[in-house]
Amino acid sequence: LLDITRIDSGGVEVHPQAFEVGDILRKIRLHFEPTAFEKGLALRLRGHLRVVHADPLLVERIVRNLVSNAIRYTNDGTVLVSCRQRGDKALLQVWDTGLGIRAEEQAKVFDEFYQVPNTSAVAPHQRKGLGLGLAIVKRLADLMNAPLALRSTPGRGTVFTLELPLGKAPR
């Protein structure tokens, strides 16, 4: 809640710079690989050498939130974090083979305190949190003027895509 208040009140500054996505992916691997392993999930990371121009701290916070959710709501299969070039943009994506989000719920998941209603496929321990993670993700993406998209199919999984400008490799 404090994070959202800081973002909304202008207390979070954006400091864009060129950086390799691999810097973030290494931290994601260290932090989330044990959790994924405990659940029997594969955590795959692709696009280490891609260079983007954005605020590395804000991008890392976004990816951490998305990967945390992906692992939480995936019971079997894979969570993939990838970065690939599309024209003059980089698409930083978090894919999962999880529960998916119904079409009528997709617009609401970025609202504060909103959680997709209980389904029998979601165990009580998976419902941790207050429904603020995706609200924070959306606000941080907006702060960086980085479009954020969601595609999901119930029973098949979800992909979140953050569109970032390509950067030039730091010397």
Side-chain angles (χ1 to χ4, degrees):
L1 197 51
L2 291 173
D3 285 342
I4 285 185
T5 304
R6 270 189 49 226
I7 295 166
D8 288 349
S9 67
V12 176
E13 294 181 17
V14 179
H15 301 287
Q17 63 187 58
F19 68 93
E20 280 189 5
V21 172
D23 297 342
I24 291 173
L25 296 182
R26 279 185 284 282
K27 294 175 187 175
I28 295 297
R29 180 179 304 284
L30 283 172
H31 189 263
F32 289 104
E33 200 167 49
T35 308
F37 180 78
E38 282 178 23
K39 283 192 77 175
L41 303 175
L43 177 62
R44 304 208 189 293
L45 307 166
R46 302 286 183 265
H48 285 75
L49 298 179
R50 188 75 57 218
V51 177
V52 298
H53 189 81
D55 185 315
L57 292 175
L58 300 184
V59 172
E60 182 179 343
R61 286 181 65 192
I62 289 169
V63 174
R64 280 181 179 270
N65 266 308
L66 295 175
V67 171
S68 175
N69 280 355
I71 291 172
R72 180 177 299 144
Y73 295 109
T74 301
N75 294 321
D76 185 41
T78 303
V79 172
L80 167 67
V81 183
S82 70
C83 189
R84 58 193 169 124
Q85 186 171 339
R86 178 73 43 88
D88 63 344
K89 302 287 183 191
L91 303 182
L92 185 54
Q93 298 179 305
V94 177
W95 299 76
D96 68 56
T97 56
L99 303 173
I101 303 166
R102 293 188 314 267
E104 59 271 18
E105 305 292 339
Q106 290 180 21
K108 299 176 194 172
V109 296
F110 296 110
D111 295 344
E112 297 146 19
F113 305 111
Y114 185 80
Q115 290 185 317
V116 175
N118 281 333
T119 67
S120 58
V122 180
H125 71 277
Q126 290 175 303
R127 300 220 135 272
K128 296 179 203 164
L130 300 170
L132 293 174
L134 290 178
I136 291 170
V137 163
K138 179 68 171 134
R139 282 175 165 83
L140 292 176
D142 290 348
L143 200 58
M144 292 190 299
N145 295 314
L148 178 67
L150 158 65
R151 278 194 343 248
S152 188
T153 305
R156 304 233 10 232
T158 301
V159 58
F160 286 89
T161 301
L162 182 68
E163 189 177 301
L164 300 169
L166 288 173
K168 296 198 187 314
R171 293 181 184 255

